[in-house]
Amino acid sequence: MAEHRLYLFKRFERFWHWSQALLVITMLYTGFAIHGYLGGLRFRNALLIHEYAAWLLVTLWTFAIFWHFTTGEWKQYIPTFQRMAQVARYYAWGMFRGERHPYEPTLLHKHNPLQRLAYLWLKLMINPLIWASGVLLLIFAYDWTRVMPLGLSLTAVAWTHTAAAYMMLLFFIAHVYLATTGKTPTAYIQAMITGWESGSDEAQGSSSTGA
């Protein structure tokens, strides 16, 4: 099967990805600084930066959700079990033996089955948890109400926010690691910078009509 270069990641997609990465790193760092686990920032400065980054991230997510639904890109995250076992086997030991990745991305199917599940978990579980608990904390922090909505306790909301942040950290670490498992350690990273990635004959046919 011949390989071709595909323009998989559009300009906004790449802007959204890297902006989100920067904001998530900022919020993780300031979040740990707020809890006293990391130094370099005073508590008030860490809190302010954390809040500003949160508003920017919410704004970015709003635009990203709008973009996904208006372009149809949300379909990229529809789960599938086709070739799930082959992909899981590849990540478990195939890639350590130099085997070829069993999944070739196409313009209409950029993500392999495991990526789809991981991104779906991020978008439907981790992000909403961080978003909702963060908004509740802001409502309380800004003194908009002296009673936490829905009868929740401040402690419960704070722990939920912290747990979601740790889930985001685990996803981030796994994401960065898997980003280095391409044909070269920087192949996937370069694709997310330039938008171009190697694909199959099927992908070439798709790109000619949809790029």
Side-chain angles (χ1 to χ4, degrees), residues 40-183:
L41 285 174
R42 294 182 178 178
F43 176 82
R44 180 170 177 76
N45 292 338
L47 186 62
L48 285 175
I49 294 172
H50 196 78
E51 289 182 5
Y52 289 141
W55 285 116
L56 287 174
L57 188 58
V58 168
T59 303
L60 182 66
W61 280 350
T62 302
F63 278 105
I65 290 171
F66 177 79
W67 180 83
H68 276 85
F69 278 101
T70 55
T71 61
E73 287 291 317
W74 64 272
K75 297 176 183 176
Q76 300 279 357
Y77 305 99
I78 296 176
T80 177
F81 291 101
Q82 291 184 355
R83 283 184 280 179
M84 175 80 78
Q86 293 93 322
V87 173
R89 178 189 175 282
Y90 171 78
Y91 284 126
W93 62 78
M95 66 180 183
F96 301 108
R97 302 171 60 184
E99 296 180 6
R100 184 183 178 86
H101 199 299
Y103 186 87
E104 290 287 348
T106 72
L107 197 61
L108 299 179
H109 304 95
K110 301 176 184 177
H111 309 305
N112 68 52
L114 286 183
Q115 284 179 306
R116 293 189 196 192
L117 284 182
Y119 293 146
L120 203 62
W121 174 258
L122 173 70
K123 293 174 185 297
L124 297 185
M125 182 67 184
I126 301 176
N127 287 356
L129 266 182
I130 287 184
W131 195 334
S133 58
V135 168
L136 289 174
L137 288 175
L138 284 175
I139 289 174
F140 196 83
Y142 287 154
D143 206 18
W144 290 336
T145 175
R146 293 186 180 278
V147 179
M148 187 63 75
L150 306 175
L152 298 170
S153 70
L154 176 61
T155 301
V157 174
W159 274 110
T160 300
H161 194 67
T162 302
Y166 274 103
M167 285 192 280
M168 177 65 81
L169 177 62
L170 290 175
F171 176 88
F172 181 80
I173 292 172
H175 186 66
V176 171
Y177 167 68
L178 291 174
T180 65
T181 60
K183 293 176 181 176

